[in-house]
Amino acid sequence: VKGLTAARALRALGPVTDANKKDYKLEDTTTTLSVVFSGQTRTFIVGGSVYGGRDRYVMDADSNKGYVLAGDLIAPLEAGESSLRLTDPRGFDVAALHSVTVSAGGKDKTASRLTQADDKGKQTKTWADATTGKADQTLANFVDNADRLRPTKYEAQLKPAEMTLIVALTYKDKAGSKLGSMSLYRREKAGEPPAGASAPMVPTTVTEYYVLTEKSRVPGLVPKSMAEKVEQDIATVFPAAPAPEAPTAPTPTAPTAPTAPTPTAPTTP
C-alpha cells in the first residue's frame, strides 16, 4: 500500500500507436490496474515487460498515453492473495523469543533458550527444560516443528468452539513479557465425494488442522501431515508415568516334617 501511494511512472512514452501496442504487448492483455483517489478512478492497461528487465509497459485507458511502471509495483498485485497472506502467524520478532510454554492435556512444560557449543566448538542455540536448565532435544524438536506450521489459507467463518484444542504454545521474551501465543486445533468434517464417485466411496469424516494466533485472529489451515506430527509428539513431551510394579507374592515354602526323637541307650547298672 505504501508503494502504491508513492508510485510514479519511470518513463512517459506519449500517445501509444497501434504499432506500439504490439511492441508493448498491450493488444491482447486482460490485466488492468485501477487507482481510485479523490472520488476519481484512473485505469491503466498493463502490458509486457521492458526488454531485459522487470518493469512494465502500461497505457492510460482514457488518454491512450503510455508509461513504464516499476516491476516491483506490478508483481505483488499479480500475485494476488498469496502475496498478502500472513505466512508466519506468530507475528512477533523471533529474535526476542526466550521461552515457550507448551500446554496440552492439562499439563505444562516450559522450554527456555540455551546457547551451547557443538562438537566443533561453534555456539548454537537450542531449547532447554526451564526446570532443569539442561538441553532437552525432544522438547526442542517439538517447539521447532510447531513453529513450522504455516497456514495455506484462512477461514474467517470458522469458530474455535467448533474445533478441538490439541496444544497451545505461549511465547515470552527474556523479561517474561508475553510476545504472543499459538493454538493448534483439529476439526472433523463430513467428506465430499469426488466428481463421479458413488456414495459408498465417500469417507465418513475428513480431518483438518488449524492454528490461531493473536496476529491471525482467524483460524488458518495448516498441512495435515505436519500437524499430525505435532499432535503425535505431544506424548513425547509429556510421557505417561510408568505403571507401578505389582508387589511380588512371597514364595510358599513346604511344611517341615517333625523330627523323630533320637533313642538313648539304657544305662548299665
Side-chain angles (χ1 to χ4, degrees):
V1 175
K2 184 177 180 181
L4 286 172
T5 58
R8 295 291 185 275
L10 301 179
R11 276 192 292 156
L13 304 174
V16 178
T17 65
D18 290 340
N20 293 147
K21 289 181 180 180
K22 183 176 182 180
D23 294 337
Y24 301 158
K25 297 183 180 178
L26 291 166
E27 289 184 316
D28 300 321
T29 181
T30 58
T31 303
T32 61
L33 171 64
S34 296
V35 182
V36 181
F37 56 94
S38 301
Q40 298 179 348
T41 301
R42 193 170 179 182
T43 300
F44 297 90
I45 300 171
V46 181
S49 299
V50 175
Y51 179 77
R54 298 178 62 246
D55 300 330
R56 303 288 289 275
Y57 293 110
V58 301
M59 183 180 70
D60 189 317
D62 294 326
S63 67
N64 275 12
K65 291 182 178 180
Y67 302 90
V68 174
L69 294 184
D72 291 338
L73 177 66
I74 303 297
L77 300 176
E78 289 185 317
E81 181 184 356
S82 61
S83 65
L84 301 175
R85 183 181 299 138
L86 179 66
T87 54
D88 186 350
R90 294 174 300 175
F92 57 80
D93 183 5
V94 294
L97 179 59
H98 181 71
S99 69
V100 182
T101 298
V102 181
S103 304
K107 299 179 181 180
D108 300 308
K109 180 173 283 191
T110 299
S112 59
R113 270 300 186 194
L114 175 67
T115 301
Q116 62 180 10
D118 59 16
D119 54 357
K120 296 182 180 179
K122 182 180 179 180
Q123 295 293 314
T124 59
K125 287 186 176 182
T126 185
W127 292 100
D129 186 325
T131 303
T132 64
K134 296 181 179 180
D136 188 329
Q137 193 58 50
T138 298
L139 185 57
N141 290 342
F142 182 87
V143 172
D144 291 342
N145 287 336
D147 289 347
R148 294 188 185 101
L149 294 173
R150 294 290 186 266
T152 56
K153 68 175 182 178
Y154 290 90
E155 300 285 354
Q157 304 304 318
L158 188 58
K159 306 300 180 184
E162 301 171 355
M163 302 180 288
T164 301
L165 177 63
I166 302 301
V167 63
L169 295 92
T170 303
Y171 305 95
K172 295 183 178 181
D173 61 16
K174 197 169 185 178
S177 300
K178 184 178 177 180
L179 296 171
S181 64
M182 182 174 72
S183 299
L184 174 64
Y185 291 88
R186 185 179 64 239
R187 177 196 184 199
E188 308 288 344
K189 71 173 187 178
E192 298 179 0
S198 57
M201 295 178 61
V202 181
T204 54
T205 58
V206 173
T207 302
E208 294 178 332
Y209 290 87
Y210 293 82
V211 295
L212 179 64
T213 70
E214 291 92 340
K215 184 70 174 181
S216 69
R217 299 187 182 183
V218 297
L221 179 69
V222 294
K224 182 179 178 181
S225 58
M226 297 182 66
E228 283 181 332
K229 171 67 174 171
V230 171
E231 182 177 15
Q232 293 166 2
D233 287 347
I234 292 175
T236 66
V237 177
F238 303 104
E245 296 183 1
T248 304
T251 303
T253 56
T256 305
T259 305
T262 303
T264 56
T267 302
T268 304

